[in-house]
Amino acid sequence: MNDTTLERFQYDNKIVKYFGAATIIWGIIGMLVGILAATQLFLPEANLGNPYTTFGRIRPLHTNAVIFAFVGNAIFAGVYYSMPRLLKAQMWNKSLSWFHFYGWQLIILAAVLTLPLGLTSSKEYAELEWPIDIAIAVVWVAFGVNMIGTILTRRERHMYVAIWFYLASFITVAVLHIVNSLALPVSFMKSYSAYAGVQDALVQWWYGHNAVAFFLTTPFLGLMYYFLPKAANRPVYSYKLSIIHFWSLIFLYMWAGPHHLLYTSLPEWAQVLGTVFSVMLLAPSWGGMVNGLLTLRGAWDKVTTDPVLKFMVVAITAYGMATFEGPMLSFKNVSAIAHYTDWIIAHVHIGGLGWNGFLTFGMLYWMWPRLFKTKIYSVKLANIHFWLGVFGILFYALPMYVAALTQFLMLREFDEMGKLAYGNFLQTVVELVPMYMLRAAGGLMYVSGVILMAYNMVKTAKQGSFVETEEDSAPALAKNYNPKGEFWHRAWERKPIFFAVLATVAILIGGVVEIIPTILVKSNVPTISSVKPYTALELEGRDIYIQNGCVGCHSQMIRPFRFETERYGEYSKAGEFVYDRPFLWGSKRTGPDLHRVGGKYPDSWHYFHMEDPRSMSPGSLMPPYPWLLTNELDISDLPAKIRTMQKLGVPYPEGYDEQAAADLQAQAAGIATNLEDAGVAVLPNSEIVALIAYLQRLGTDIKVSSSK
């Protein structure tokens, strides 16, 4: 083949550099916010005495910053570097690349501004309000269009395995985000979920589990399949194993979401499906791990000296550990122990810090010197970073496992009289304080390593010379290519549209089978005639509860265990949540469950508890919320809230939007009078009154006779 048959093109390294730099910057910021949140769990005063930096508001800021800013930018840096080189084509549209970059950073900035202000939907990993959700969809589609355009203009006939994972990730995240984010706006930064109660919980954890799958896992598997062979200078161990790995993973993952809701009010058949498919996930997940580790055959000697391979080996090992633990946690007897405890926190961070973090670091240490045509500034600093990261993960995760087992054993213990040995939930929390301190120390070690890496990257860039565009050439694809006897999957790999359609079908089946019957078949959520919509004041109080992130520490789901019903009251019923938009079942108990807290304490107890938690619960780790006592309740959106709820099917009387304010004021005056009788002077239009109204409503819709 002579030179005249070659087509010349360029790789854009500038967009890779920008996404790489954003990865490092947002990584440090997100992890520092995480350390602040971790510190507040043993030192509540670390909330800095204002509502914007309390745990309930900065926890979602931490998760969004680490998942979408740190990991997200790492994905894009890796994709924009690897995809053009694998396809022998420059990115389809340079303007779309830059629209993607700046759009994504603006979305992250919007999260930084809105979440501390309490502007949140409260849905885990999807807390951002509807205007930002729309922006995410637009920017994500721009990324996908650019990706697909590049695939269609490629000069490499067959799509490599990394491209399969990139393509499936784009399609699935788009579906997940759009379906889970469906909501009716009330105002510019307020909306109510299109789903309620049990249905909302199922859709949310179908999204939540698969956001982990298709944002934190599949794109990183694509990066692994590109950067690991490059770093080791070895081909992927098994092409056929990668086929099995890919198709079985994307099909099975979409069924597994209900395992986050075991022993809850979710229909039993959905829980069983979630468990069965979660256990099956072990096979393809470990298939990917084995394919990665065996790619290093003949190159293990390099692991001892090359920090890039060190990071990647630990990343793949952490992936194997997390994907073994996930199926184990889907067994009901294991979930009974782990759910609502720090075990889940440990599990998530083994994956996040080990798999996502370490693969990102390995990728950056390999890629960054090549962008600047130099060598890494300091291999020694990279090795120090590696060990800081390893010990940071150990000091983070191990205390969390100890904390989880300690708390579970204390919560389920009964004395010889048949009573709870630790009747006060707080007795278990204070025992965990040393573990929380160790966790924060582990996080500090980990982020110290990232700061070292940032220094190393800056010095590497300064000693090199940045190559903004790289020239390359390849022959154009020949038309009418249709060889006989071609392996079936090789044929699929040269048909990207057909491939994308098959991947879409594979990812849709699980969600369709689980979600549609739960929404349409009424017997899945038996109604309870005594369950009524929230009053106007209770609705406002619920929004204050959401605004302050109370769901980050308190669940509203009592499971059918004796040690829970003895502690909290009758187990939760599906029909009790039909007006909950969004659902607030929670995923972690740093404080007790609140589903039956209504009527348990007088109004004054809640007032003093919010003013100073330790005055009511000595030793409490909850920060005070004094601003709730003085903030005036804003009811300007109340008519719009009522109308929105009516559109969603909540049976408020016709015209209630016009009389809701009067009802609110009457109920607020009653609570203010109760407080005044207890010696507390408070204005009826203060936020604390609305919050008390909501808390006093919880769990009171059904009448339960005492078993004692």
Side-chain angles (χ1 to χ4, degrees):
M1 190 175 292
N2 55 52
D3 289 342
T4 58
T5 62
L6 296 179
E7 295 181 350
R8 302 196 68 81
F9 50 92
Q10 296 178 331
Y11 302 130
D12 181 7
N13 286 340
K14 188 176 180 182
I15 192 73
V16 178
K17 181 180 78 169
Y18 273 57
F19 271 119
T23 300
I24 298 168
I25 293 166
W26 285 119
I28 293 171
I29 293 170
M31 292 173 201
L32 288 174
V33 173
I35 290 171
L36 178 61
T39 303
Q40 289 182 23
L41 291 178
F42 61 86
L43 187 67
E45 293 78 7
N47 75 339
L48 309 179
N50 69 79
Y52 313 112
T53 48
T54 52
F55 181 86
R57 295 195 185 185
I58 65 168
R59 178 190 176 273
L61 178 61
H62 162 63
T63 55
N64 277 267
V66 170
I67 294 172
F68 300 110
F70 170 59
V71 174
N73 279 303
I75 292 168
F76 304 139
V79 168
Y80 279 108
Y81 185 90
S82 62
M83 178 176 277
R85 288 164 172 81
L86 287 169
L87 298 174
K88 294 297 178 186
Q90 62 196 47
M91 290 304 296
W92 181 64
N93 189 300
K94 194 171 184 178
S95 296
L96 277 181
S97 299
W98 287 104
F99 173 78
H100 176 203
F101 174 78
Y102 287 110
W104 198 255
Q105 310 318 309
L106 287 173
I107 287 165
I108 297 163
L109 285 173
V112 170
L113 291 173
T114 58
L115 292 175
L117 290 173
L119 302 173
T120 174
S121 71
S122 92
K123 290 191 170 190
E124 199 138 9
Y125 315 136
E127 291 89 351
L128 303 179
E129 269 293 357
W130 68 271
I132 309 173
D133 281 338
I134 292 172
I136 292 169
V138 170
V139 173
W140 188 257
V141 168
F143 167 56
V145 168
N146 208 6
M147 175 192 295
I148 293 167
T150 307
I151 292 171
L152 294 177
T153 56
R154 70 196 186 283
R155 295 175 181 83
E156 185 65 45
R157 187 169 305 282
H158 296 92
M159 295 185 296
Y160 177 65
V161 57
I163 306 297
W164 314 346
F165 280 101
Y166 299 160
L167 192 58
S169 300
F170 161 68
I171 294 166
T172 312
V173 169
V175 172
L176 293 168
H177 173 70
I178 291 168
V179 173
N180 187 55
S181 299
L182 291 177
L184 269 186
V186 172
S187 60
F188 175 59
M189 274 292 169
K190 177 63 183 174
S191 62
Y192 288 124
S193 173
Y195 318 100
V198 170
Q199 291 100 335
D200 194 36
L202 178 60
V203 172
Q204 159 58 29
W205 281 112
W206 169 77
Y207 163 87
H209 178 80
N210 292 303
V212 170
F214 288 89
F215 200 87
L216 300 179
T217 304
T218 53
F220 268 75
L221 288 167
L223 298 178
M224 178 195 80
Y225 274 118
Y226 179 82
F227 287 100
L228 180 65
K230 284 285 188 182
N233 198 25
R234 292 287 187 279
V236 170
Y237 171 67
S238 171
Y239 165 67
K240 289 187 177 179
L241 182 56
S242 68
I243 295 172
I244 298 169
H245 174 209
F246 172 77
W247 289 106
S248 56
L249 194 77
I250 69 167
F251 173 72
L252 294 175
Y253 244 130
M254 299 298 286
W255 296 75
H259 81 223
H260 291 264
L261 299 168
L262 301 181
Y263 287 115
T264 68
S265 300
L266 191 72
E268 185 69 20
W269 64 265
Q271 297 185 40
V272 170
L273 275 178
T275 297
V276 169
F277 281 89
S278 298
V279 173
M280 287 195 285
L281 263 175
L282 181 61
S285 298
W286 273 43
M289 179 191 70
V290 167
N291 217 7
L293 292 177
L294 291 184
T295 295
L296 291 169
R297 67 202 186 285
W300 282 99
D301 57 308
K302 295 181 183 178
V303 177
T304 60
T305 56
D306 185 354
V308 171
L309 289 179
K310 285 181 184 176
F311 277 110
M312 290 187 176
V313 166
V314 172
I316 297 167
T317 305
Y319 171 68
M321 292 167 62
T323 53
F324 172 79
E325 191 177 27
M328 295 306 104
L329 287 169
S330 71
F331 285 111
K332 293 189 96 171
N333 53 348
V334 181
S335 177
I337 301 170
H339 196 51
Y340 291 131
T341 73
D342 290 297
W343 188 329
I344 307 304
I345 310 302
H347 168 62
V348 168
H349 284 79
I350 289 288
L353 300 177
W355 166 237
N356 298 117
F358 269 40
L359 194 69
T360 295
F361 304 147
M363 177 186 79
L364 289 173
Y365 278 122
W366 184 88
M367 190 169 64
W368 205 253
R370 285 165 174 77
L371 295 178
F372 291 88
K373 297 299 179 187
T374 185
K375 293 183 177 180
I376 193 72
Y377 170 72
S378 172
V379 173
K380 184 177 180 181
L381 282 180
N383 280 317
I384 293 172
H385 174 199
F386 172 78
W387 288 111
L388 278 172
V390 168
F391 283 105
I393 293 170
L394 292 174
F395 273 90
Y396 189 108
L398 292 179
M400 291 298 93
Y401 288 120
V402 173
L405 291 173
T406 300
Q407 188 170 47
F408 172 74
L409 292 172
M410 291 179 72
L411 288 173
R412 70 186 294 273
E413 186 175 343
F414 287 84
D415 61 22
E416 63 277 6
M417 301 298 292
K419 295 181 179 180
L420 289 165
Y422 302 96
N424 187 344
F425 185 89
L426 185 57
Q427 291 174 282
T428 71
V429 176
V430 295
E431 293 296 322
L432 309 184
V433 168
M435 277 74 90
Y436 288 161
M437 290 177 175
L438 285 172
R439 184 256 294 272
L444 192 59
M445 292 172 68
Y446 192 91
V447 76
S448 298
V450 182
I451 293 169
L452 271 185
M453 181 186 72
Y455 173 78
N456 212 352
M457 296 291 108
V458 170
K459 298 296 285 185
T460 299
K462 285 185 175 179
Q463 75 179 14
S465 177
F466 179 61
V467 181
E468 188 167 319
T469 56
E470 281 185 55
E471 299 285 340
D472 201 355
S473 60
L477 284 182
K479 296 181 180 179
N480 302 319
Y481 177 84
N482 193 20
K484 293 182 180 180
E486 185 178 29
F487 181 57
W488 61 271
H489 201 271
R490 292 288 285 171
W492 289 9
E493 291 162 26
R494 57 184 174 83
K495 300 174 182 177
I497 302 300
F498 175 73
F499 195 98
V501 170
L502 286 181
T504 304
V505 171
I507 63 101
L508 285 177
I509 294 172
V512 167
V513 170
E514 290 178 346
I515 293 172
I516 291 180
T518 307
I519 293 174
L520 297 183
V521 180
K522 292 185 177 180
S523 61
N524 282 310
V525 186
T527 56
I528 302 172
S529 60
S530 60
V531 175
K532 305 298 182 186
Y534 293 106
T535 66
L537 185 63
E538 291 160 0
L539 185 64
E540 290 287 2
R542 192 171 198 269
D543 286 341
I544 291 169
Y545 184 95
I546 290 169
Q547 185 183 72
N548 285 282
C550 304
V551 70
C553 290
H554 295 281
S555 62
Q556 290 184 24
M557 172 53 62
I558 303 169
R559 297 175 294 175
F561 302 139
R562 182 186 168 215
F563 67 88
E564 289 211 5
T565 56
E566 286 287 326
R567 185 180 306 278
Y568 304 122
E570 179 71 5
Y571 70 89
S572 303
K573 313 293 193 297
E576 294 183 81
F577 303 102
V578 292
Y579 302 123
D580 283 16
R581 299 174 186 268
F583 83 111
L584 295 174
W585 295 358
S587 57
K588 168 72 171 70
R589 287 177 184 155
T590 306
D593 186 277
L594 299 181
H595 191 216
R596 301 272 179 237
V597 77
K600 186 176 181 179
Y601 305 106
D603 293 346
S604 58
W605 187 95
H606 290 293
Y607 180 94
F608 290 123
H609 186 244
M610 300 307 294
E611 182 182 43
D612 179 12
R614 294 178 185 180
S615 67
M616 297 289 101
S617 304
S620 173
L621 301 180
M622 177 177 160
Y625 288 79
W627 46 85
L628 294 179
L629 281 55
T630 55
N631 284 356
E632 183 178 344
L633 181 64
D634 180 4
I635 61 170
S636 58
D637 285 339
L638 179 59
K641 289 179 179 181
I642 298 297
R643 288 193 296 270
T644 303
M645 285 295 194
Q646 287 173 322
K647 290 175 185 176
L648 290 167
V650 178
Y652 288 117
E654 188 176 345
Y656 183 66
D657 57 320
E658 296 179 2
Q659 64 186 62
D663 282 1
L664 179 148
Q665 290 161 3
Q667 187 178 2
I671 293 173
T673 300
N674 290 342
L675 290 171
E676 188 176 353
D677 291 344
V680 178
V682 63
L683 293 173
N685 63 344
S686 58
E687 289 185 341
I688 187 65
V689 170
L691 182 60
I692 290 171
Y694 172 63
L695 293 173
Q696 294 289 37
R697 170 68 183 275
L698 289 176
T700 60
D701 281 332
I702 64 171
K703 305 300 179 185
V704 181
S705 59
S706 175
S707 61
K708 297 181 182 179

